[in-house]
């Protein structure tokens, strides 16, 4: 377990080096999620496989999503440090192999390896932040971590475009090497944790069944209606086999000594409702990130750079509000703050839906910024309330479950929004997705679907128990300690173990 002896949040505080390491680790995943898309044409020209290139994203997303709950449980058993270092190592190995890939199938396989690494890096980074910062500090820390995504939304596409223009697309993967080495070195040097060593019974059967079932279900959602028809034998079979494995997983977990996904994660009202909120956040995010660039490029013939910058407003608004969320939830509670956030996000989605028929770059950017502001006030307090309701040995599972729900929301959102858009593209003019009028209609329908997802998320927020920060049931929810109260003896009395000095 970890806590800190120095107060303050920032790079110059005693925990500053750890914060920088966490931001670097998050940056690995954030940049990778945006840098690859701009290099796809160059990749296809070099190694071929145009029909298979969507798997560059699907394989990565699948591997990341199915591994998140497993890493969360392992981090509660073995500690955060070894798991995040293992994740960085896998991401590093996958990046190097992607950089030397000789064909599209090999590149897809190595992207899956990258995804396995990302599945550990992102949730464990957030969990570590929950361990070493107090309840009052975590919102500001989430703002720091969210700012990484804002920067990456601009840096990623720019780097991808530069590497593609120079004809060296392999550089988009090899650029991860120094970042991985630096992040790993800083974590080894600065992060020290005292974990109570005990004999654990690893739930191997549960891990395999969970990965298999979720992998097939997410695969069916991602590829249904695209790689195969929804009503085709393979389209139906993937869901049937996935459901059978999921039932088998639930039966195994009932008898497991230390289940990968304990039943209490979904039986506690706060954890269940915050996971549903995270699901909605994932759906709303993917609706904008997937279709705003297409909308602007197809409807207004905007350049990819302009479309990317308009979308970047979304990831600029998020950290701004996330960093201020603590001031709200400490005063009015987690639920009320989340309600304000979802109200702002829905307002932004409503503006986007109502103005889709008359596209305007500035208005789209403003709408994305408003949605980002709302999501920052929604995602931050719900995640922190879930983390703060459990002790250290359960926090990894809770954090990973919350982030896994967001991944599932994105995966299902891709499937639903894709089906909505494709139904209009298929019934549009002969120009199909190249016809501006058809693009406007399809994108408008997707924005409306994202608005519906936002309204459903309102119901999830309303179902949250009204828990105030001081009543969250965890020692971390205590008021910020004074300098004297932050001493090692006081930390031990609260059940925390101080971080060793680097």
């Amino acid at each position: 377990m970890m806590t800190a002896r120095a107060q303050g949040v920032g790079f110059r505080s005693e925990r500053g080096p750890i914060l920088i390491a966490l931001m670097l680790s998050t940056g690995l995943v954030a940049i990778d999620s945006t840098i690859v898309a701009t290099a796809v044409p160059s990749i296809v020209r070099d190694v071929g496989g145009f029909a298979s290139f969507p798997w560059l994203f699907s394989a990565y997303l699948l591997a990341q999503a199915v591994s998140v709950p497993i890493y969360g449980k392992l981090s509660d058993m073995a500690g955060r440090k070894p798991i995040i270092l293992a994740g960085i190592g896998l991401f590093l190995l996958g990046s190097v192999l992607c950089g030397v890939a000789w064909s599209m199938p090999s590149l897809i396989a190595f992207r899956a390896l990258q995804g396995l690494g990302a599945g550990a890096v992102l949730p464990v980074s957030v969990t570590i932040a929950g361990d070493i910062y107090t309840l009052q500090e975590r919102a500001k820390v989430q703002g720091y971590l969210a700012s990484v995504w804002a920067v990456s939304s601009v840096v990623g596409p720019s780097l991808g475009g530069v590497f593609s223009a120079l004809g060296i697309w392999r550089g988009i993967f090899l650029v991860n090497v120094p970042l991985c080495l630096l992040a790993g070195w800083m974590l080894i040097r600065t992060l020290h944790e005292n974990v109570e060593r005990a004999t654990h019974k690893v739930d191997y059967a549960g891990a395999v069944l969970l990965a298999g079932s979720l992998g097939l279900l997410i695969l069916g959602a991602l590829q249904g209606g695209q790689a195969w028809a929804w009503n085709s034998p393979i389209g139906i079979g993937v869901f049937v086999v996935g459901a059978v494995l999921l039932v088998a997983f639930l039966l195994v977990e009932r008898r497991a000594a230390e289940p990968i996904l304990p039943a209490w994660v979904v039986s506690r009202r706060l954890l269940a409702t915050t996971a549903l909120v995270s699901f909605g956040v994932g759906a709303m995010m993917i609706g904008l990130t997937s279709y705003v660039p297409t909308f602007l490029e197809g409807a207004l013939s905007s350049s990819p750079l302009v479309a990317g910058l308009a979308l970047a407003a979304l990831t600029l608004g998020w950290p701004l509000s996330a960093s201020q969320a603590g001031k709200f939830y400490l005063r009015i509670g987690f639920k009320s703050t989340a309600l304000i956030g979802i109200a702002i996000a829905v307002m932004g989605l409503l503006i986007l839906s109502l103005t889709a028929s008359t596209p305007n770059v500035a208005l789209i950017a403003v709408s994305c910024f408003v949605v980002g502001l709302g999501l920052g006030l929604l995602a931050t307090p719900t995640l922190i309330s879930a983390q703060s309701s459990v002790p250290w040995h359960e926090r990894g599972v809770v954090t990973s479950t919350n982030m896994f729900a967001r991944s599932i929301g994105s995966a299902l959102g891709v499937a639903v929004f894709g089906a909505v858009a494709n139904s209009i593209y298929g019934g549009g003019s002969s120009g199909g997705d190249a016809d501006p009028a058809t693009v406007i209609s399809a994108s408008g329908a997707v924005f409306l679907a994202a608005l519906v997802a936002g309204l459903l998320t309102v119901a999830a927020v309303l179902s949250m128990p009204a828990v105030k920060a001081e009543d969250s049931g965890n020692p971390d929810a205590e008021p910020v300690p004074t300098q004297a109260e932050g001493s090692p003896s006081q930390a031990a009395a609260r059940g925390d173990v101080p971080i060793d000095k680097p």
Side-chain angles (χ1 to χ4, degrees):
M1 291 180 289
M2 297 172 286
T3 186
R5 290 172 292 181
Q7 299 304 312
V9 176
F11 300 143
R12 295 184 179 181
S13 68
E14 185 177 356
R15 295 165 291 181
I18 301 177
L19 177 59
I20 294 173
L22 295 180
M23 292 177 70
L24 281 171
S25 302
T26 302
L28 295 174
V29 181
I31 291 178
D32 192 79
S33 66
T34 58
I35 196 173
V36 176
T38 55
V40 165
S42 298
I43 295 174
V44 170
R45 283 195 301 268
D46 193 0
V47 300
F50 177 79
S52 302
F53 88 80
W55 280 93
L56 291 175
F57 307 97
S58 297
Y60 179 92
L61 179 60
L62 275 169
Q64 180 182 12
V66 302
S67 61
V68 163
I70 297 172
Y71 287 129
K73 179 62 178 179
L74 292 177
S75 74
D76 284 341
M77 295 169 61
R80 322 298 189 207
K81 187 173 182 177
I83 302 304
I84 192 172
L85 289 176
I88 291 174
L90 285 173
F91 196 88
L92 173 62
L93 178 59
S95 297
V96 172
L97 292 175
C98 284
V100 298
W102 55 91
S103 64
M104 184 62 75
S106 67
L107 184 57
I108 291 170
F110 299 147
R111 281 284 288 168
L113 184 60
Q114 271 191 310
L116 288 176
V121 171
L122 195 56
V124 178
S125 295
V126 176
T127 305
I128 292 172
D131 289 337
I132 68 174
Y133 289 100
T134 67
L135 181 67
Q136 289 82 353
E137 296 170 328
R138 286 179 201 164
K140 190 172 183 180
V141 172
Q142 289 297 321
Y144 275 95
L145 297 178
S147 69
V148 174
W149 291 90
V151 173
S152 299
S153 67
V154 178
V155 173
S158 301
L159 279 178
V162 170
F163 283 125
S164 297
L166 295 176
I168 49 173
W169 62 265
R170 297 177 188 275
I172 68 174
F173 300 109
L174 298 180
V175 74
N176 292 326
V177 173
L179 294 177
C180 287
L181 294 176
L182 180 58
W185 175 76
M186 291 191 69
L187 285 169
I188 291 172
R189 185 172 178 272
T190 62
L191 180 62
H192 303 275
E193 57 181 349
N194 297 325
V195 180
E196 182 181 346
R197 301 299 174 185
T199 301
H200 294 282
K201 294 183 178 180
V202 181
D203 183 17
Y204 293 109
V208 172
L209 289 171
L210 178 65
S213 62
L214 295 179
L216 289 174
L217 293 173
I218 296 174
L219 177 64
L222 287 173
Q223 299 300 317
Q226 299 183 48
W228 51 70
W230 290 106
N231 58 353
S232 66
I234 187 172
I236 297 174
V238 165
F239 284 110
V240 171
V241 176
V244 170
L245 292 179
L246 183 59
V247 171
F249 165 74
L250 295 175
L251 294 175
V252 167
E253 294 302 275
R254 294 177 62 181
R255 300 181 180 180
E258 296 187 54
I260 287 290
L261 194 62
W264 54 261
V265 174
V266 293
S267 63
R268 298 179 189 176
R269 182 180 167 192
L270 177 63
L271 301 183
T273 51
T274 52
L276 288 174
V277 171
S278 188
F279 180 94
V281 169
M284 287 183 281
M285 280 287 292
I286 202 67
L288 269 62
T289 56
S290 298
Y291 286 92
V292 164
T294 302
F295 176 51
L296 292 176
E297 292 177 40
L300 296 177
S301 299
S302 300
S303 67
L305 179 60
V306 170
L309 290 175
L311 180 61
L314 175 72
T315 48
L316 289 174
W318 188 313
L320 286 177
S321 59
S323 63
Q324 302 300 312
K327 297 178 181 179
F328 288 90
Y329 67 64
L330 289 173
R331 176 170 295 184
I332 63 176
F334 296 115
K335 180 177 180 178
S336 297
T337 304
L339 282 171
I340 294 173
I342 187 59
I344 295 174
V346 167
M347 181 176 66
L349 290 169
L350 179 62
I351 295 173
L352 196 61
S353 301
L354 293 176
T355 60
S357 59
T358 55
N360 177 279
V361 175
L363 188 57
I364 295 297
V366 170
S367 299
C368 288
F369 182 76
V370 171
V371 174
L373 287 176
L375 294 182
L377 286 176
L378 173 64
T380 301
T382 51
L383 172 61
I384 293 176
S385 66
Q387 286 183 329
S388 301
S389 69
V390 297
W392 183 92
H393 66 276
E394 295 178 347
R395 193 173 295 146
V397 168
V398 167
T399 304
S400 63
T401 300
N402 191 278
M403 304 197 75
F404 171 70
R406 189 181 300 181
S407 296
I408 296 295
S410 294
L412 292 180
V414 166
V416 172
F417 299 148
V420 170
N422 289 336
S423 66
I424 296 176
Y425 286 137
S429 65
S430 59
D433 57 7
D435 177 57
T438 306
V439 170
I440 291 174
S441 298
S443 300
V446 169
F447 298 151
L448 182 60
L451 175 61
V452 172
L455 294 174
L456 292 175
T457 306
V458 172
V461 177
L462 289 173
S463 300
M464 285 178 58
V467 179
K468 293 184 178 180
E470 60 268 23
D471 300 326
S472 58
N474 187 290
D476 289 341
E478 296 177 357
V480 178
T482 63
Q483 189 171 8
E485 293 172 336
S487 65
S489 60
Q490 290 291 331
R494 292 195 304 269
D496 293 328
V497 180
I499 287 180
D500 297 327
K501 220 177 176 183

